[in-house]
Amino acid sequence: LTFPLLSVTLLVSFGSSMLYGYNLAVVNSPAVHIKAFYNATWSQRYGHGLAPSLLTLLYSLTVSIFALGGLVGSLLVGVLVERYGRNGTLSRSALLVLLASGFMGFSRELGSPEMVIIGRSITGLHSGICLSVVPLYLGEIALKNLRGFLGLMPSIFICLGVFFAQVLGLPELLGEDRFWPLSLSVVVVPASLQLLLLHCFPESPRYLLIERNDVCGATEALHRFLGTPDVQDVIEEMKEEQRSLSSVEMVSVWQLLRDRSVRWQTLSVVVVNAGMQLSGIDAIWFYTNIIFENAGIPVSQIPYTTVGTGAIEVVAGLIGCFTIEKLGRRPLIITGFCAMGICSAGITVSLLLQTALPWMRYVSVACVVGIIAGFCVGPAGVPFLMTAELFTQSHRPAAYIVGGSLNWLCNFTVGFVFPFLQMSAGAFCYLVFCSVCLLVALYVYLVIPETKNKTFMEISHIFA
């Protein structure tokens, strides 16, 4: 693990992946203030406030529009990485955050709820691009024995982003009414840092050699990343993959879906990415305060309880990152989904019993913590890492488009539907998440092989 390799991993994780986690959770704490702003603006414009159902709908749109932007971003990944490369795409996408921060930061001053919604959609567009390109970039620059460690580094920063959003949302910091536009626009800082520094690091050597046929550029990039003049073995591995793909062009999404030779890899990406979002983790992140309030936690204690869960997320992410190369991908993702499924069922039971047994509210909190910890140990980062590992260079961008699109589509569905599902099904809504988690864990156990310490060609042969 060289200094340039670690540095670029930390930079793109801080400047891209962390913003995804931050934007997932940042709307949770100021929800009351944002709703009050919407209501006051509506009254000024039309002379009357919003009906409660319409206000819930407008706020749900503000939360979930982030995922619609992410869906659009994920669909653009294939075109962007082919035209600008992995590094170039990440550099250019940082400009979107600067634009979004301007919209959200000045929305209150200009009395425009529309600017909040537009800003959220642009941050979603940025996250949709980066959520696929960061693991793609790191998976291609890392040697096979470091792919797991570096591939899970972004998931730690996603957890850190959630944690920072929860800390800044405390009443003592940016949790007051006048500060919520600042809390939404503070993402400009890490994005600016990435924009300034990322050009100091080279492009993906695998992209340069296989897609651009630039052997000299790939060799120079490997020298920088690996810190050694002897990179011939890595070059030969890439050339072997290039020869195997000599008659194959970069496939489109439609070609990927029709290609029977990779149908199990494609199905695995579909199941794991959809399952990751339908597991209920987005409901936890988007609506943590509402969930704790329904569980009976005193309102004054909810912000601090939320921060405590965020700290546990970071610890769980670190555990996953430092154990993935020892335990492998499959054990982490199976354990994570099983833990989330059991804890989702636990929330249902605790909510049903808390009227008779008031102490069950603490069981609800423990189950929420269990869902978050289970997610951060494996499902938070392993699906993106596996998408890079299950496909060769010709199919990889299309696979990220498929996985990313499903990821964001399910994210939007959960973010938009959960408040209404909670109102109609009550405590039983968590059983839906329980079923999804356990079914995904079973699929991974039965179908997906272990990919630890294997080259991309070896993994392809296992599936074949």
Side-chain angles (χ1 to χ4, degrees):
L1 182 63
T2 62
F3 180 74
L5 202 54
L6 182 61
S7 298
V8 75
T9 302
L10 293 174
L11 178 62
V12 297
S13 298
F14 176 72
S16 294
S17 302
M18 192 176 77
L19 302 190
Y20 168 66
Y22 185 88
N23 285 309
L24 277 177
V26 71
V27 289
N28 178 54
S29 295
V32 175
H33 306 313
I34 295 174
K35 288 179 181 178
F37 167 64
Y38 286 178
N39 206 31
T41 306
W42 195 273
S43 297
Q44 289 174 2
R45 290 182 183 179
Y46 305 107
H48 59 86
L50 284 160
S53 58
L54 187 57
L55 183 59
T56 300
L57 181 65
L58 193 58
Y59 181 71
S60 295
L61 179 63
T62 305
V63 172
S64 54
I65 197 72
F66 173 71
L68 277 187
L71 175 62
V72 175
S74 67
L75 293 173
L76 297 174
V77 165
V79 175
L80 293 174
V81 295
E82 188 176 349
R83 181 170 182 178
Y84 300 114
R86 285 61 166 149
N87 185 304
T89 298
L90 290 173
S91 297
R92 288 168 172 81
S93 66
L95 296 170
L96 293 170
V97 181
L98 309 189
L99 179 63
S101 297
F103 274 105
M104 295 186 293
F106 293 105
S107 59
R108 179 172 178 152
E109 295 296 322
L110 299 175
S112 174
E114 296 85 356
M115 291 177 68
V116 180
I117 296 172
I118 292 170
R120 285 280 294 170
S121 65
I122 296 174
T123 57
L125 181 64
H126 169 263
S127 291
I129 295 168
C130 295
L131 201 61
S132 293
V133 179
V134 168
L136 176 62
Y137 184 44
L138 297 182
E140 290 185 355
I141 66 176
L143 293 175
K144 61 184 180 181
N145 62 310
L146 288 174
R147 277 205 310 264
F149 175 75
L150 297 184
L152 279 197
M153 193 70 76
S155 70
I156 294 177
F157 278 83
I158 291 173
C159 297
L160 276 171
V162 173
F163 178 63
F164 287 149
Q166 292 165 342
V167 170
L168 291 177
L170 290 173
E172 294 84 354
L173 297 174
L174 301 182
E176 294 184 15
D177 180 43
R178 59 195 173 118
F179 289 135
W180 67 260
L182 179 59
S183 69
L184 293 181
S185 59
V186 76
V187 290
V188 70
V189 177
S192 299
L193 190 64
Q194 177 175 287
L195 188 62
L196 289 172
L197 298 180
L198 192 55
H199 71 276
C200 300
F201 297 93
E203 184 54 81
S204 159
R206 195 171 290 273
Y207 165 79
L208 291 172
L209 192 148
I210 297 176
E211 294 186 35
R212 290 287 177 248
N213 205 28
D214 183 2
V215 179
C216 293
T219 305
E220 186 179 339
L222 285 170
H223 288 323
R224 285 280 311 278
F225 281 133
L226 305 184
T228 174
D230 184 17
V231 295
Q232 196 56 39
D233 289 346
V234 186
I235 291 290
E236 286 303 319
E237 180 203 326
M238 292 182 190
K239 285 184 176 179
E240 181 188 349
E241 185 174 346
Q242 186 185 38
R243 283 192 293 271
S244 72
L245 300 173
S246 58
S247 59
V248 181
E249 297 181 355
M250 300 300 290
V251 303
S252 66
V253 172
W254 180 241
Q255 290 171 322
L256 175 71
L257 296 176
R258 295 183 62 189
D259 190 344
R260 293 192 173 191
S261 67
V262 293
R263 61 184 172 185
W264 281 107
Q265 291 98 310
T266 305
L267 181 60
S268 299
V269 166
V270 168
V271 170
V272 175
N273 278 277
M276 179 172 66
Q277 298 300 336
L278 296 177
S279 65
I281 189 63
D282 288 316
I284 299 290
W285 277 338
F286 286 150
Y287 303 106
T288 310
N289 287 10
I290 295 173
I291 292 171
F292 284 156
E293 188 177 336
N294 291 339
I297 304 299
V299 175
S300 60
Q301 296 178 16
I302 287 176
Y304 307 98
T305 309
T306 302
V307 169
T309 63
I312 292 169
E313 286 176 52
V314 177
V315 174
L318 287 168
I319 291 171
C321 187
F322 286 101
T323 58
I324 189 169
E325 291 300 349
K326 292 184 179 180
L327 301 178
R329 282 63 159 153
R330 291 176 78 248
L332 283 184
I333 200 166
I334 291 171
T335 302
F337 274 114
C338 286
M340 294 170 74
I342 293 168
C343 290
S344 294
I347 292 179
T348 297
V349 173
S350 61
L351 290 176
L352 291 174
L353 295 178
Q354 74 177 33
T355 304
L357 302 171
W359 55 267
M360 290 298 287
R361 71 181 64 173
Y362 301 109
V363 176
S364 296
V365 174
C367 289
V368 169
V369 170
I371 291 172
I372 291 172
F375 179 78
C376 291
V377 165
V382 174
F384 302 109
L385 172 62
M386 289 175 65
T387 304
E389 292 185 331
L390 296 184
F391 294 91
T392 54
Q393 194 81 9
S394 59
H395 292 68
R396 202 171 289 134
Y400 268 106
I401 292 174
V402 171
S405 301
L406 274 169
N407 193 304
W408 286 104
L409 194 59
C410 296
N411 184 308
F412 171 78
T413 302
V414 173
F416 192 77
V417 170
F418 180 73
F420 303 98
L421 180 64
Q422 197 174 38
M423 285 189 287
S424 60
F428 294 101
C429 68
Y430 297 97
L431 293 181
V432 177
F433 303 135
C434 171
S435 303
V436 170
C437 290
L438 297 180
L439 287 173
V440 173
L442 180 64
Y443 176 89
V444 174
Y445 177 77
L446 294 175
V447 175
I448 300 180
E450 181 55 65
T451 57
K452 180 179 73 171
N453 285 339
K454 293 181 174 65
T455 66
F456 296 126
M457 293 302 296
E458 288 170 344
I459 295 167
S460 181
H461 291 152
I462 290 172
F463 269 99

